[in-house]
Amino acid sequence: MALNPLALTQVLPFLPLAQGNIDYETERRGEPDLLQTVLNEPSTTVMLTRGGLVAVPRGQGAKADYANASMRLASLPGAYVLKSLARHPGAVAMFLGGYKGLAGTQHVVAVDITRIDGESDGNCNDGDAGTVDGQLAGYGESGQPGADTAAQADGADMLQQAASRFDWVDLRGFAPHANAREAGQATSAVSLSVWHNRQRHCPTCGAPVQAAMGGWAQRCTNEADGNRLLFPRIEPAVITLVVDSADRMLIQHNAAWNNPTLYSVSAGFVEAGENLEHAVRREAHEETGITLGEVKYLGSQPWPYPASLMVAFKAHALGTDVHVDGSETVDARWVTRDEYMAQIIDGSISAPGKATIARYMIEQWLGHELA
Ligand SMILES: [Zn+2]
């Protein structure tokens, strides 16, 4: 059964990067030849990632800037991608799961092509052939006789051509315009591919790693290290909308933000050995000098820049005296709903972007959407 994670979230019913309604089919991840099997199914579609971006059909890239545009992922047939994959050991394939389509269960695979440019003669320049997805390694000439010659004969090296054939867009521009399933697929694919591209060696022994478990894990190639199975390291961050006893919201501007009018809510990374509630209270106090009383959970969404999980809370301030730290947070102020909207409309402040959980937290407090 596909589980919509938001089914359990009462307060923030829609978050652009947390819509995954595809069945991950996690029980299949250990299957030998999983990716070949799935890619050979006629109904399987492949989406592409590259440098943290997702591929959309040519011409759709510009739509990310429009309010009401709808966007789709570029979609490739599995069998053709399989041929091309055999020639690109730097590509990483990821099994995203399946959903009920017109032709029964349709499977979705993501392929990351970030590292196919650095290959030569089927090997990466740095000799790090361990980056090949273990389940596809050796599939080329020996695994599928004629695949290479066929690809060369018709000149159809799809993965090589993909960089120029599609538009490439940021997840934050794509997700607010996409349907729930594709937004979820894109979020999974970007999160995994960013991790595969950043972690090329085992953190314990330094040996090269191979993608494993349908792309959801990596395996250390060093037998002496027990071919250790490695999972993505996710970095939790808390984000908190603070209200006072009059239900005013505390908004703040951080020094690191390029947009001088951007005002958002309190946020920061959870420290080692710290629980979420402590991080909420610590961050608010560090940034604005405010001590928090009651803290309530609102929802969460992944934020793969590069590996965060944003965990959202609403908290009641015990006082209203604001003292910003002056280095990270340079301004903070209390606003009523009317004051907030007046400042948004006159342009003196701007709201967080459409893909951010902060925007939905603010809209939930406002009681309506921001234009
Ligand atoms: Zn190792």
Side-chain angles (χ1 to χ4, degrees):
M1 271 297 289
L3 171 72
N4 183 342
L6 288 180
L8 302 175
T9 301
Q10 304 301 313
V11 183
L12 294 176
F14 174 81
L15 294 166
L17 304 189
Q19 304 179 71
N21 57 4
I22 189 170
D23 183 349
Y24 285 4
E25 299 187 19
T26 53
E27 71 284 359
R28 295 195 63 183
R29 288 181 190 166
E31 247 176 61
D33 305 325
L34 169 66
L35 287 161
Q36 287 99 309
T37 305
V38 168
L39 285 169
N40 273 318
E41 292 168 2
S43 60
T44 293
T45 56
V46 177
M47 61 162 291
L48 299 175
T49 59
R50 177 169 164 262
L53 306 177
V54 296
V56 299
R58 202 77 167 145
Q60 277 204 13
K63 288 187 175 182
D65 296 330
Y66 298 121
N68 296 314
S70 74
M71 295 175 78
R72 296 298 305 264
L73 290 168
S75 171
L76 301 173
Y80 287 103
V81 172
L82 186 55
K83 285 184 191 174
S84 193
L85 265 178
R87 308 172 73 199
H88 293 292
V92 180
M94 298 158 278
F95 173 61
L96 299 185
Y99 64 95
K100 294 272 179 264
L102 295 174
T105 297
Q106 292 182 237
H107 289 117
V108 183
V109 171
V111 173
D112 182 69
I113 62 167
T114 306
R115 280 186 274 136
I116 69 170
D117 292 335
E119 301 162 352
S120 60
D121 298 320
N123 288 303
C124 295
N125 287 340
D126 60 3
D128 188 1
T131 53
V132 181
D133 187 317
Q135 292 167 82
L136 285 165
Y139 189 75
E141 285 135 343
S142 59
Q144 191 184 40
D148 282 3
T149 42
Q152 278 151 9
D154 63 20
D157 185 345
M158 238 169 213
L159 297 182
Q160 196 83 65
Q161 293 168 357
S164 54
R165 196 176 145 193
F166 301 113
D167 284 352
W168 295 87
V169 299
D170 190 289
L171 182 60
R172 289 166 285 197
F174 174 77
H177 303 300
N179 67 40
R181 178 169 54 74
E182 292 202 342
Q185 287 168 24
T187 304
S188 298
V190 167
S191 303
L192 288 171
S193 64
V194 165
W195 173 60
H196 283 298
N197 287 317
R198 287 166 64 94
Q199 178 163 297
R200 313 269 300 269
H201 296 89
C202 173
T204 302
C205 76
V209 293
Q210 287 184 332
M213 303 297 286
W216 291 82
Q218 294 179 340
R219 201 172 280 289
C220 170
T221 53
N222 180 7
E223 265 182 54
D225 193 30
N227 296 119
R228 181 190 299 277
L229 198 56
L230 304 161
F231 294 96
R233 190 167 298 183
I234 293 160
E235 299 163 357
V238 292
I239 181 161
T240 310
L241 188 142
V242 179
V243 294
D244 69 4
S245 57
D247 207 22
R248 293 184 302 170
M249 169 174 62
L250 184 61
I251 54 173
Q252 58 189 70
H253 177 74
N254 283 10
W257 297 340
N258 293 327
N259 175 357
T261 64
L262 175 60
Y263 274 75
S264 189
V265 299
S266 174
F269 284 109
V270 179
E271 298 201 325
E274 183 177 50
N275 69 17
L276 297 171
E277 301 89 321
H278 189 276
V280 165
R281 294 174 194 283
R282 178 182 52 74
E283 284 290 342
H285 195 261
E286 284 172 8
E287 293 173 350
T288 60
I290 294 291
T291 301
L292 299 180
E294 185 187 31
V295 171
K296 276 191 170 167
Y297 175 70
L298 297 180
S300 67
Q301 79 165 354
W303 193 246
Y305 303 98
S308 295
L309 174 67
M310 305 300 297
V311 188
F313 296 88
K314 185 173 183 179
H316 287 267
L318 294 181
T320 55
D321 268 354
V322 171
H323 301 284
V324 294
D325 61 23
S327 52
E328 185 188 347
T329 304
V330 290
D331 185 38
R333 54 178 92 152
W334 294 101
V335 288
T336 65
R337 290 173 178 80
D338 286 346
E339 287 165 350
Y340 182 76
M341 286 314 295
Q343 291 172 38
I344 287 284
I345 288 163
D346 73 19
S348 58
I349 63 171
S350 53
K354 284 184 189 299
T356 64
I357 196 168
R359 188 182 183 93
Y360 292 87
M361 296 164 72
I362 292 171
E363 288 179 342
Q364 195 267 332
W365 169 80
L366 270 174
H368 60 81
E369 287 183 21
L370 289 159

